[in-house]
Amino acid sequence: MLTNFTIKSKWIGIVLLMFVSISVHAQNSLSGTITSNNKPVDFASIYLKGTRLGTSADDQGKFELNNVPSGTFTVVVSSIGYKTLKKTITFNNNEKLTVNFQLVEDSSQLDEVVVSGTMKEVSKLASPVPVEVYTAKFFKANPTPSIFESLQNVNGVRPQLNCNVCNTGDIHINGLEGPYTMVLIDGMPIVSGLSTVYGLTGIPQSLIERVEIVKGPASTLYGSEAVGGLINIITKKPSAAPLVSTDVFATTWGEVNADVGVRYSLGKKVDGLLGVNYFNYSNPIDNNNDGFTDVTLQDRISIFNKFSFQRKDNRVFTIAGRYVYEDRWGGEMNWEPKYRGGDEVYGESIYTSRWETFGIYQLPTEELINFQFSANGHNQNSVYGDTKYLADQYIGFGQLTWNKVLGKHDILTGVAYRYTYYDDNTPATAKGDDLENNPAITHLPGAFIQDEIELNPQNTLLLGMRYDYNSLHGGILTPRINYKWSSKNNRNVLRLSVGNGYRVANVFTEDHAALTGARDVVFEDELLPETSWNGNINFVKKIYLEGGIFIGLDASAFYTYFSNQILPDYETDPNKIIYSNLDGSSVSQGVSLNVDVDFKNGLKINAGGTLMDVTVEEDGRKYRQLLTERFQGVWSAGYTIKSLGLTIDYTGNLYGPMRLPVLGELDDRPDYSPWWSIQNIQVTKNFGEHFQLYGGVKNLLNYTPPSNSIARAFDPFDENVVFDTDGQVVPTPDNPNALTFDPSYVFAPNQGIRGFLGFRYTLD
C-alpha cells in the first residue's frame, strides 16, 4: 500500500509540475485598441485562429487577451460593418504585447454608395436624403420573375394588382398609388406615363447590383412623377460583373423564369454586359372556380446590354439599352387568340413592345460636367373584352449637370429637357365634336440647383430648387430642404426633409380600370397638375453588442398634403369612373420602423412595419382612400450553416384591411378586405463557389382573396343586366344585387401555394 501511495504521489507531483510549467510558459498576453478613422470600434471580436482563445473590445475599443501560449498565431479582428483584419504575431515566453488594430469600413455591408438622394455617388451615411438600399442578395431570399414582385418584402412599398383578369399592377409607396412613384434605371428616368404599368417587369435580375428607394417627393432633382418617391434600379458595372451569371427556376404552377448575364470586351477600351430574361407561364388554372384564369398567362422576353468605355483620366461614359416584348392574357378558361377583341368569349389580351436607351457621358473638361440622356418607345396593343386600347408613346430626355465644390459648399446644378409624344384611340387624344385624332405632345424644359453645405462634421444642410415649364400647364416651382445630423461615432443619424412635388396625370396610361370597358369614363373638368408638400423625419441608430451582434434601427415619420389630386370616383355611379381634380385635400401620414439584427452565428433578421393613414376630405366629408391599408409589416429571416453551405430564408408580409370598390349599396361583397399575409420559405445549398441549388414554397398559408372578387364573372358582357333610362342597373331575380361585370375589386393575388426549384451558376 505504501509503495502504491508513493507511486501515485510521484505521478501526481509530475502532473502538477507539468501544469505549473505550462502555466508559467503561458503567461503571454495581447492588449491594445481597435479603431477606424481614428475612432474607437466598440465590441469588436479578437481571437487566435486555430484556438479557442478570444475576447471582445470594450466600448472604447480597448481589449486584453490573456493566457496566450507561446508560438506564432494569426490574430483575427472583426466587427460588423468593417473588413476583417488578419495579422500574424509571434508570442515568446512571458511576453506582454501591445498591438493596435486599424479597421477599414466595409461599404458593402452597412454603408453603401447611393446616387438617388443627390444625383451623385455618395455614401449612404453621408447622404442628407434618407435612401434605403436593397442588394441583390436581399431579393434572392425570395426569388421572383420581376422586380415588381420582389418589392413585396420592402417596408412601406407594396406591389398592387389593379385587375383580377390581366394582373396589371403598380407600386404603392407609403400608401400613395403607382403613378406617384418614379422608376429609374441607373439614375435615368426611363419609366413614365404609359410604361409605368410595365416598366418594372423584364429587367434581368442577374444584372441588378442594388435597388435604391427614396420615400417622399424628389421633384427638385427628378421633376414630374417623383411625388410619392422613386425606385432606382442600379445595374452592375461591366468591369465588375461576373463573366457568366445564370439564374433559372420553375414552379409547380408551370412558371419558368431564366436570367442569363454575360460580360465581354470589345477591344481594350470597351467592356460590355449582356443580359437576357425569359419568363413563361402557359398553364391556365381556375382554383376559385369563377370561370376565369387565376393568374395571367405570360410570354415575355427582355434583352439588356450595357457598354462602359475606358477614357482618359477615368472619365465616365456608359450607354445601355433594353428591349422588352410581352404577350399576356387572362380571361375565361376557354378563351383563345381567335376570340381577341370579340364579344363571344371574354379575355383581356395585351401585346407590349418597348425599347429604351440611356447613358451618361462626362465631358472632357477640368470641371465635373456630365451629360445624361435617355429615350424610350412604347407600343401597346390591348383588348379588354371587345374594347380596344391602342397606344404609342415616345419620350426623349437629356440633362446636363455641373458639380463644383467650393469650400464647405458642394453645388450641383443643371438643365434638363423632356419631350413626350403620346397617342391612343381614347378621348384623351381626340378633339372637337368629330373626335379628330390629336396626339399629345409635351415639352418640359427645366433647371435646378442644389447646395449641400457641410456646416461642420456632424451637420449638413441641403437646399434645392427646381423650375420646370410644362408646355400645356405653364411653370412649376419645386423647392426642398434637407438637414442631417450625425453623432461623432456615426452611430446615430437624424435627417429632416421638406419638399414639394407635382405631377401631370394621364388616366388612360395609369389607371387600368379606365380601359376595361366595364365602366364608362367621365371627365368633369380639364385635369390640372397635382401638387403636394411632404415632410419627413428619419432617425437611424446602429448598436454593436458584445458577441458580434449588430442591431440597426431606422425609424421615420412622414406627412404628405395634396391639393388638386386626381382620384377616380367609383362610388357616385357604379357604372362610371368619374375623374376630376379634388375639390378639397388629401393627406398621407404615418410612421415606419425597420429593424436589422445580425448575429455572429449566421442568423440575420430584417423586419419592418408601417402604420399609415391615407384620407381624402371633400365637401365636408372625410373618408379613407381606396385600396390603401392602415398597416403593413414585412420580415426576412435568414440563417446560414457554414459547415454545410446551407442557408434557410423565411420571408413574408402582413397587410391590414383596405377599403374596396364595391358596386353600390346592394353589392353584398365586403367593403373592406380582411387581414392577409403571404409567407415563403427557401433553402439554398452552395456547391463550391460557383453553383447554388435552391428551392422552397411560396404562399405557405395558401392565402387567396374571395372567389367572388370578379363581379358577375359568368356574364362578362352584361348581356343579362337590365338598365333603366338613366343607365342605372335595375335589380332583377337574376341580378338581385344590381351588379355589372367588374374586375376592379382586387387587393391580393389569386395565386395560391406552390413549390419552386432553381439553380444559380456564376463564373468570375
Side-chain angles (χ1 to χ4, degrees), residues 568-580:
D569 178 1
Y570 292 87
E571 298 168 304
T572 299
D573 188 332
N575 300 311
K576 297 177 180 179
I577 307 176
I578 302 172
Y579 292 95
S580 64

Side-chain angles (χ1 to χ4, degrees), residues 143 250-252 649 680-684 693-700 753-758:
T251 73
T252 54
D649 291 294
N680 321 284
I681 193 165
Q682 174 184 258
V683 177
T684 303
L693 185 67
Y694 62 91
V697 179
K698 289 180 178 290
N699 196 356
L700 281 166
I753 188 171
R754 59 204 182 279
F756 65 95
L757 182 66

Side-chain angles (χ1 to χ4, degrees), residues 326-594:
E326 182 181 70
D327 177 1
R328 66 161 61 195
W329 75 270
E332 294 185 89
M333 290 291 288
N334 60 335
W335 187 90
E336 297 178 19
K338 65 181 180 181
Y339 298 118
R340 191 176 195 270
D343 58 2
E344 296 180 61
V345 179
Y346 188 88
E348 298 187 0
S349 171
I350 302 170
Y351 301 151
T352 300
S353 178
R354 173 178 174 80
W355 62 266
E356 61 206 18
T357 183
F358 52 91
I360 179 172
Y361 177 80
Q362 182 180 345
L363 271 61
T365 60
E366 292 184 5
E367 299 292 335
L368 181 54
I369 302 176
N370 289 323
F371 175 63
Q372 298 168 296
F373 56 91
S374 68
N376 63 71
H378 191 109
N379 173 266
Q380 188 164 319
N381 181 327
S382 307
V383 296
Y384 304 90
D386 56 0
T387 301
K388 293 183 179 180
Y389 175 64
L390 309 174
D392 287 291
Q393 178 178 270
Y394 300 96
I395 296 178
F397 175 82
Q399 180 169 269
L400 197 65
T401 64
W402 174 53
N403 188 203
K404 182 71 172 180
V405 178
L406 299 172
K408 293 187 176 182
H409 297 263
D410 190 344
I411 299 173
L412 178 70
T413 185
V415 292
Y417 171 75
R418 179 184 297 186
Y419 169 86
T420 303
Y421 171 93
Y422 174 76
D423 189 21
D424 66 18
N425 64 326
T426 75
T429 56
K431 69 176 182 178
D433 296 335
D434 57 354
L435 297 180
E436 178 186 351
N437 187 51
N438 182 37
I441 297 177
T442 306
H443 301 276
L444 189 66
F448 63 89
I449 184 171
Q450 73 171 20
D451 185 7
E452 186 174 336
I453 309 168
E454 184 182 354
L455 304 175
N456 55 50
Q458 276 72 54
N459 294 273
T460 303
L461 182 66
L462 179 69
L463 304 174
M465 181 74 71
R466 183 184 183 102
Y467 177 80
D468 288 292
Y469 185 83
N470 187 293
S471 59
L472 300 180
H473 299 283
I476 304 170
L477 192 67
T478 50
R480 74 166 174 160
I481 181 172
N482 293 81
Y483 167 76
K484 180 183 79 74
W485 168 86
S486 60
S487 60
K488 290 185 178 180
N489 61 2
N490 292 323
R491 300 290 173 83
N492 303 285
V493 180
L494 175 68
R495 295 180 175 94
L496 307 175
S497 64
V498 176
N500 174 247
Y502 81 96
R503 188 178 72 92
V504 178
N506 183 339
V507 299
F508 287 98
T509 67
E510 298 164 358
D511 191 349
H512 168 269
L515 306 174
T516 62
R519 299 180 186 229
D520 293 329
V521 177
V522 176
F523 296 94
E524 288 193 340
D525 301 294
E526 181 182 354
L527 300 181
L528 302 175
E530 300 176 330
T531 58
S532 69
W533 282 95
N534 170 277
N536 185 286
I537 302 174
N538 174 254
F539 179 70
V540 176
K541 185 174 184 62
K542 298 178 181 180
I543 304 171
Y544 298 87
L545 303 177
E546 294 188 35
I549 300 174
F550 167 78
I551 300 176
L553 303 176
D554 190 331
S556 294
F558 56 89
Y559 179 90
T560 301
Y561 178 90
F562 282 95
S563 58
N564 279 347
Q565 189 175 21
I566 300 169
L567 293 175
D569 178 1
Y570 292 87
E571 298 168 304
T572 299
D573 188 332
N575 300 311
K576 297 177 180 179
I577 307 176
I578 302 172
Y579 292 95
S580 64
N581 286 104
L582 185 66
D583 185 16
S585 62
S586 173
V587 171
S588 170
Q589 58 187 334
V591 294
S592 68
L593 175 65
N594 284 321

Side-chain angles (χ1 to χ4, degrees), residues 645-703:
L646 202 67
T647 300
I648 302 171
D649 291 294
Y650 171 52
T651 59
N653 48 51
L654 175 67
Y655 299 108
M658 310 173 197
R659 195 167 71 91
L660 302 175
V662 294
L663 298 176
E665 296 180 355
L666 296 179
D667 192 336
D668 60 351
R669 295 176 299 177
D671 293 340
Y672 285 84
S673 66
W675 286 83
W676 60 281
S677 175
I678 302 293
Q679 301 177 25
N680 321 284
I681 193 165
Q682 174 184 258
V683 177
T684 303
K685 169 65 177 175
N686 292 320
F687 296 91
E689 297 180 357
H690 304 294
F691 187 79
Q692 280 187 342
L693 185 67
Y694 62 91
V697 179
K698 289 180 178 290
N699 196 356
L700 281 166
L701 304 181
N702 195 28
Y703 180 80

